[in-house]
Amino acid sequence: MKVSTLSVLAVALIGMSQVAHAETKIGFVNSDRVMREAGPAVRAQQRLEKEFEKRDQELQRMAKDLQSMQEDLDRNGATMAESDRRNKERAFNDLNRDFQRKQREFREDLNQRRNEELASVLDKANRTVKQIAEAEKFDVILQEAVYASPRIDITDKVIKSLSEGK
């Protein structure tokens, strides 16, 4: 009697889990793609490029100056007077130190601003995903997966909604 009761209970539980599984609606969002293609992400990238353009150009100019100084020292260093060569090497080292410092500051500032911009875009994307999930009655939306069927991929909907400003 106990065995048949347990069997019936097990079959009932299996049946209930299959019914619950059949009603579960799962979606997937490729967050990397959203951060590359969505309108707010593209605009954020453009703002960053514009904001850091002058500093980047200055660094490129300094790099060219360093290169030309190095070439001049390599080419003419042996024929220069000792004091001239030392002065040019000192000027080269000073410029190189300044270049390294400015390059490090540039990278730090750029990374900080990029993180600020991306945090804002990520916040908008997460709100959009939540709105889509609620509107379409999704039970779970995954952002990281080894594999996701195109059937459950809602990335295009998220990108479209973000780009439209909804």
Side-chain angles (χ1 to χ4, degrees):
M1 182 78 166
K2 268 190 166 182
V3 174
S4 65
T5 305
L6 286 176
S7 298
V8 169
L9 184 59
V11 169
L13 286 175
I14 290 172
M16 285 175 51
S17 69
Q18 288 176 346
V19 168
H21 178 69
E23 295 173 10
T24 303
K25 189 171 180 183
I26 298 173
F28 170 75
V29 175
N30 183 334
S31 53
D32 289 338
R33 206 173 124 218
V34 169
M35 298 306 277
R36 275 192 324 268
E37 298 176 17
V42 170
R43 288 189 295 277
Q45 183 62 35
Q46 290 169 343
R47 276 193 302 274
L48 286 172
E49 288 171 3
K50 185 175 182 182
E51 182 177 334
F52 287 89
E53 181 178 29
K54 283 184 181 179
R55 287 174 65 184
D56 185 42
Q57 289 173 351
E58 181 185 351
L59 285 171
Q60 289 176 20
R61 181 194 52 77
M62 287 177 79
K64 286 179 184 176
D65 291 348
L66 279 168
Q67 185 178 6
S68 66
M69 288 174 80
Q70 181 67 50
E71 290 170 356
D72 184 42
L73 278 169
D74 290 345
R75 187 175 42 246
N76 301 323
T79 60
M80 283 183 189
E82 182 67 25
S83 62
D84 288 343
R85 187 177 53 76
R86 253 187 285 128
N87 287 339
K88 286 201 180 248
E89 286 175 347
R90 188 175 303 121
F92 174 81
N93 289 332
D94 290 345
L95 183 60
N96 189 35
R97 197 172 22 260
D98 191 36
F99 174 73
Q100 297 293 331
R101 180 183 52 78
K102 286 184 177 187
Q103 192 176 42
R104 184 179 56 252
E105 289 172 355
F106 176 82
R107 279 194 310 266
E108 290 170 357
D109 292 347
L110 178 61
N111 285 336
Q112 180 180 356
R113 284 288 295 125
R114 181 181 292 128
N115 289 341
E116 291 168 1
E117 290 287 342
L118 292 180
S120 171
V121 172
L122 187 61
D123 185 47
K124 289 176 188 173
N126 285 337
R127 282 195 309 261
T128 300
V129 168
K130 187 175 179 182
Q131 289 170 351
I132 291 171
E134 290 171 352
E136 297 185 20
K137 301 195 183 334
F138 280 93
D139 296 308
V140 177
I141 302 288
L142 304 172
Q143 287 186 325
E144 298 292 327
V146 174
Y147 171 77
S149 167
R151 182 176 49 80
I152 65 168
D153 191 346
I154 62 167
T155 305
D156 289 332
K157 288 180 186 178
V158 173
I159 291 171
K160 182 179 179 192
S161 182
L162 276 170
S163 296
E164 291 173 352
K166 291 183 179 177

